[in-house]
């Protein structure tokens, strides 16, 4: 599947997801005592778009959180000639750091793997080794769904699930791009395994403010077509919901 995202390909409108009422049927995500929460982010923004509410809930419970930044996100605008394009790795790290601070995390702990953006699948051995070295028994690993639809997300999702299994950690998955291509009425998403985490008003407000830190993705890098935002504002609405959805493959209704 080719994932196309631009002003003409805005994917499934949030109003359709809302009207489907799918989220209303989901059981709540159960918190099991976790040693740490390890959030696997293929690109610097996924950790907040997908997991910004759960990170806050973990911090409130005083559970240590660590972000594993798999790539630096340097490949978000491959055709752009805008000056910022050549500095995206450092720009996006700073955006992620600011966004995590906006969630109320004073000193975000981020481990960068520096794998090449858009080529994570070709680096699976390095990814597997890194995740196995980081994860410990009793951790909760939160990674993209292995069928999210972006090759880096899918590779991270599968690697995280298998590494968690090997070390004895629990793993759950978040969705980013599946909200773009999936059909609410269909069976693209494994609804039986989906769980909902409701956000408090405060958590939701903080998450929204936090997502506004990702200016290199939500604003044009320059005046040309190639500089267009990767996350135009209609897409961002998916990440401002009152809840987050997680795929828990070990659970079933
Ligand atoms: Zn991503």
């Amino acid at each position: 599947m080719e994932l196309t995202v631009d002003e003409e390909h805005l994917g499934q409108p949030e109003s359709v997801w809302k009207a489907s009422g799918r989220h209303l049927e989901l059981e709540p995500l159960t918190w099991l005592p976790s040693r740490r929460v390890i959030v696997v982010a293929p690109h610097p923004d996924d950790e907040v778009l997908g997991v910004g509410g759960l990170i806050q809930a973990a911090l409130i419970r005083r559970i240590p959180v660590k972000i594993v930044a798999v790539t630096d996100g340097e490949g978000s605008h491959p055709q752009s000639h805008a000056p910022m394009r050549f500095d995206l790795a450092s720009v996006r790290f700073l955006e992620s750091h600011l966004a995590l601070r906006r969630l109320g995390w004073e000193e975000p702990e981020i481990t960068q793997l520096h794998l090449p953006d858009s080529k994570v699948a070709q680096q699976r051995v390095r990814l597997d080794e890194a995740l196995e070295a980081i994860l410990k028994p009793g951790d909760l690993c939160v990674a993209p769904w292995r069928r999210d639809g972006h090759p880096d997300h899918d590779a991270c999702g599968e690697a995280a699930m298998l590494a968690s299994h090997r070390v004895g950690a629990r793993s759950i998955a978040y969705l980013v791009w599946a909200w773009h291509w999936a059909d609410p009425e269909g069976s693209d998403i494994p609804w039986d395994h989906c769980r909902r985490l409701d956000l408090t008003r405060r958590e939701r407000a903080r998450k929204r403010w936090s997502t506004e830190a990702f200016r290199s993705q939500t604003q044009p890098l320059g005046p040309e077509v190639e500089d267009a935002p990767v996350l135009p504002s209609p897409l961002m609405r998916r990440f401002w919901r009152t809840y987050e959805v997680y795929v828990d493959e070990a659970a079933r209704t």
Side-chain angles (χ1 to χ4, degrees):
M1 184 187 57
E2 187 69 30
L3 185 67
T4 308
V5 186
D6 56 36
E7 294 286 353
E8 281 142 38
H9 300 87
L10 293 172
Q12 199 64 265
E14 180 58 11
S15 55
V16 173
W17 283 110
K18 205 169 176 188
S20 78
R22 272 289 189 185
H23 58 284
L24 298 173
E25 303 158 12
L26 301 177
E27 302 233 352
L29 179 76
T30 45
W31 276 91
L32 296 177
S34 303
R35 188 174 172 268
R36 301 178 301 169
V37 171
I38 307 294
V39 180
V40 179
H43 312 103
D45 62 11
D46 293 312
E47 69 287 3
V48 170
L49 302 183
V51 197
L54 189 144
I55 290 172
Q56 294 180 71
L59 293 171
I60 287 166
R61 288 170 166 82
R62 300 192 178 279
I63 300 171
V65 183
K66 180 201 273 291
I67 309 295
V68 180
V70 176
T71 80
D72 296 341
E74 71 279 9
S76 64
H77 293 74
Q79 311 300 329
S80 169
H81 294 282
M84 194 199 282
R85 183 232 150 157
F86 303 97
D87 203 19
L88 272 173
S90 45
V91 167
R92 295 192 69 182
F93 176 80
L94 293 174
E95 288 175 348
S96 170
H97 196 271
L98 173 63
L100 292 167
R101 285 182 53 92
R102 286 182 175 185
L103 292 179
W105 194 0
E106 271 178 41
E107 288 179 45
E109 193 182 330
I110 307 172
T111 299
Q112 293 181 282
L113 302 185
H114 302 296
L115 296 190
D117 194 351
S118 309
K119 297 193 181 70
V120 173
Q122 291 93 311
Q123 301 285 331
R124 263 298 295 276
V125 175
R126 283 174 65 195
L127 178 59
D128 291 350
E129 286 173 0
L131 291 177
E132 226 172 297
I134 291 168
L135 287 166
K136 306 276 180 244
D139 284 344
L140 173 65
C141 178
V142 191
W145 182 37
R146 60 199 168 94
R147 285 186 276 139
D148 196 36
H150 181 299
D152 288 348
H153 287 222
D154 299 359
C156 286
E158 190 182 271
M161 200 177 74
L162 295 174
S164 298
H165 187 72
R166 283 196 296 272
V167 306
R170 178 189 179 199
S171 76
I172 58 173
Y174 61 93
L175 301 93
V176 173
W177 292 113
W179 303 124
H180 190 75
W181 59 263
D183 174 5
E185 304 305 330
S187 54
D188 300 320
I189 294 176
W191 297 110
D192 282 356
H193 293 286
C194 285
R195 295 291 179 271
R196 193 180 76 223
L197 177 70
D198 289 318
L199 310 190
T200 63
R201 281 184 63 199
R202 180 186 167 90
E203 286 166 350
R204 194 181 158 208
R206 281 192 174 222
K207 181 174 176 180
R208 178 159 181 169
W209 186 45
S210 168
T211 61
E212 285 167 10
F214 299 111
R215 294 183 60 82
S216 72
Q217 307 300 296
T218 59
Q219 307 293 322
L221 287 193
E224 308 299 337
V225 179
E226 297 79 14
D227 305 326
V230 177
L231 294 168
S233 59
L235 270 66
M236 294 302 287
R237 288 184 221 291
R238 298 168 190 156
F239 309 112
W240 297 338
R241 293 172 178 167
T242 58
Y243 57 91
E244 290 173 342
V245 174
Y246 293 92
V247 183
D248 184 349
E249 303 225 23
R252 185 178 275 277
T253 41

